[in-house]
Amino acid sequence: MQSLTLNCCNILLLFLFFSLLVHLPPALGIDACQKFCGTISIDFPFGIDDGCGTPDYRNMLNCTAGSLFFQTDSGSYRVISIDYNKKTMVIFDPAASTCSSLQPRKAFTMSDIQYSLIPPSPETEFVLLNCSSDSPVLHRYSSLCTNFSGHSCSEIYGACGAYWMFRSNITGIPPCCATDYTTLRFMGLDIIGCSHYTTVYNADGLRGLSPLDWPFGIELTYAVPEGTCAECRRSGGTCGFDSQTDRLLCLCSPALNTTHDCGNLPGVGRGRKAKGRICLQTFALILTFSLLAML
Ligand SMILES: *[C@@H]1O[C@H](CO)[C@@H](O)[C@H](O)[C@H]1NC(C)=O
Ligand SMILES: *[C@@H]1O[C@H](CO)[C@@H](O)[C@H](O)[C@H]1NC(C)=O
Ligand SMILES: *[C@@H]1O[C@H](CO)[C@@H](O)[C@H](O)[C@H]1NC(C)=O
Ligand SMILES: *[C@@H]1O[C@H](CO)[C@@H](O)[C@H](O)[C@H]1NC(C)=O
Ligand SMILES: *[C@@H]1O[C@H](CO)[C@@H](O)[C@H](O)[C@H]1NC(C)=O
C-alpha cells in the first residue's frame, strides 16, 4: 500500500516536471541582445549591443560596471530608470547641482538628433541659480521663467546647504529662474548669465515640497512609431537592425534574422515553438502511461 502511494507520488512529480519543461519560455533572440544593465531592463527602442533596438539610439547607451549611461555631446549621464509605458527615461546630470552639492557649471547639451528623438519632458525644470542682475531671463526674456510651483529663489537658497554662498551675498539674494531645457539650449549659460543650475523632474508634483525632497534629474521623453516592433515581438523575436545598412531586422534566433517577424517562416519562431511543445507533450503523456502500465 505504502509503495503504491510512493509510486503515485513519483509519477505525479514526473508529470509536473514534464509540464514545467513543456512550458519553459522560448529562448529566442536572447543571445544577440543584452536585456538588462544592472537592474534596468533594456528593451525596444533601446539597445546596448550594436544591432539591437532601433538605429536611432545607436551608441547612445552604454553599460559600464552594471550602470547604464546615456551619452550626449556634453558627457555621460547615469540612467536612473526607464519607464516603457510612459516612454520616459530619467537621467542624472553629474554637472548639475543638487540640494547637497554645488557643481561647477557645465551645461547639459544634446545633439540635434537627440533633441528631436528624446528631448527633456515638459515636467523637467532647469533651475538657473545665481543669475546676474542683468540676465536676459530677468528682463527681455522673463516670460521664459515659470512660476515653479510657487517656489522662490530665497526658499531654494535657504533650504539647500550647498547654496550657502548665495545666501551670504552682501548685495542681496541673487536672482534665479526656473525654465525649460529649450532656454538653456538656445542661449547657453554664458548668455543667460547664471553661474549654476539644477534640474528637477516631476515639476507638477513640487508644490509645497521642500527642495530637500525634490527629485533631481532630467526626465527625457521618447516616442516609438506605432507598430514598428509589434509583429516581430509577437512572433517571439527581438527587434534590431543591420549594423551595416541600418535596415530594421527581426532577430529570431542566433542563427536567423528576418525582415519582418519569425512566425511566417517554416521551422522558426511560433511554428517551431508550437511543434516542439506538441512533441514534448506527447512524449510526457506516453512516458506517464508506460510508467502507469509498469505498476
Ligand atoms: C542578426 O543581427 C544581429 C544584429 O545586427 C547580428 O549581431 C547577428 O550576427 C545577426 N545574425 C545573423 C545570423 O545574421
Ligand atoms: C561609457 O560610459 C562610461 C561612463 O561614463 C564612459 O566613461 C565611457 O567612455 C563610455 N564608453 C563608451 C564606449 O562610450
Ligand atoms: C555668482 O555669480 C557671480 C557672477 O554673476 C560670480 O562672480 C560668483 O562667483 C557666483 N557665485 C558663486 C558662489 O559661484
Ligand atoms: C505663482 O505662485 C504663487 C505662490 O504660490 C501663487 O500665489 C501665484 O498665484 C502663482 N501664479 C501663477 C500664475 O500660477
Ligand atoms: C551677488 O548677487 C548679485 C545679484 O544680486 C550678483 O550680481 C553678484 O555677482 C553676486 N555676488 C557674488 C559674490 O556672488
Side-chain angles (χ1 to χ4, degrees):
M1 190 64 204
Q2 198 194 17
S3 86
L4 192 67
T5 35
L6 243 167
N7 275 331
C8 272
C9 275
N10 284 347
I11 289 161
L12 247 155
L13 278 174
L14 254 170
F15 195 75
L16 226 95
F17 172 73
F18 278 108
S19 316
L20 271 176
L21 205 78
V22 168
H23 287 107
L24 278 178
L28 294 177
I30 265 172
D31 297 358
C33 302
Q34 212 172 314
K35 298 284 186 206
F36 277 92
C37 178
T39 55
I40 297 174
S41 82
I42 309 300
D43 206 338
F44 189 78
F46 305 113
I48 294 172
D49 311 282
D50 203 20
C52 296
T54 68
D56 288 345
Y57 297 99
R58 194 174 189 181
N59 298 330
M60 281 188 205
L61 290 175
N62 131 7
C63 187
T64 306
S67 291
L68 188 63
F69 292 92
F70 182 74
Q71 320 273 331
T72 78
D73 292 350
S74 55
S76 250
Y77 300 87
R78 201 158 74 80
V79 176
I80 309 296
S81 61
I82 302 176
D83 187 326
Y84 290 97
N85 293 319
K86 276 176 66 193
K87 301 195 171 54
T88 58
M89 176 191 284
V90 175
I91 60 173
F92 184 75
D93 180 354
S97 306
T98 63
C99 214
S100 52
S101 77
L102 187 66
Q103 291 299 327
R105 47 177 292 172
K106 181 171 180 264
F108 171 78
T109 48
M110 309 178 109
S111 67
D112 291 338
I113 291 169
Q114 285 176 327
Y115 184 54
S116 66
L117 281 176
I118 183 165
S121 74
E123 283 73 42
T124 298
E125 297 269 12
F126 282 70
V127 189
L128 309 166
L129 305 169
N130 186 33
C131 300
S132 75
S133 41
D134 55 4
S135 164
V137 293
L138 300 173
H139 302 283
R140 194 163 163 204
Y141 296 105
S142 61
S143 62
L144 296 176
C145 300
T146 70
N147 191 315
F148 198 40
S149 301
H151 295 290
S152 67
C153 302
S154 56
E155 182 196 356
I156 299 170
Y157 297 142
C160 298
Y163 305 158
W164 65 269
M165 290 102 109
F166 304 142
R167 291 200 291 274
S168 59
N169 187 323
I170 41 159
T171 59
I173 283 177
C176 68
C177 164
T179 186
D180 60 17
Y181 172 64
T182 317
T183 309
L184 192 63
R185 179 175 180 80
F186 291 108
M187 288 198 214
L189 279 176
D190 279 331
I191 291 173
I192 294 174
C194 306
S195 71
H196 294 80
Y197 75 101
T198 183
T199 57
V200 186
Y201 62 97
N202 190 21
D204 289 342
L206 295 183
R207 193 166 292 278
L209 201 64
S210 156
L212 291 166
D213 299 323
W214 287 352
F216 291 96
I218 301 171
E219 184 184 62
L220 309 171
T221 53
Y222 62 93
V224 178
E226 202 52 55
T228 347
C229 174
E231 286 299 314
C232 169
R233 207 193 283 255
R234 245 197 301 281
S235 68
T238 300
C239 299
F241 60 93
D242 184 310
S243 43
Q244 252 101 56
T245 62
D246 276 6
R247 195 171 54 120
L248 297 179
L249 289 177
C250 186
L251 318 182
C252 295
S253 75
L256 188 105
N257 297 333
T258 72
T259 51
H260 190 61
D261 64 29
C262 309
N264 52 11
L265 286 156
V268 181
R270 201 160 35 196
R272 190 181 57 182
K273 261 188 292 166
K275 263 183 233 158
R277 228 168 252 185
I278 290 164
C279 248
L280 271 169
Q281 263 157 0
T282 316
F283 178 66
L285 223 77
I286 292 171
L287 200 87
T288 314
F289 278 117
S290 0
L291 280 168
L292 270 171
M294 267 158 50
L295 286 174

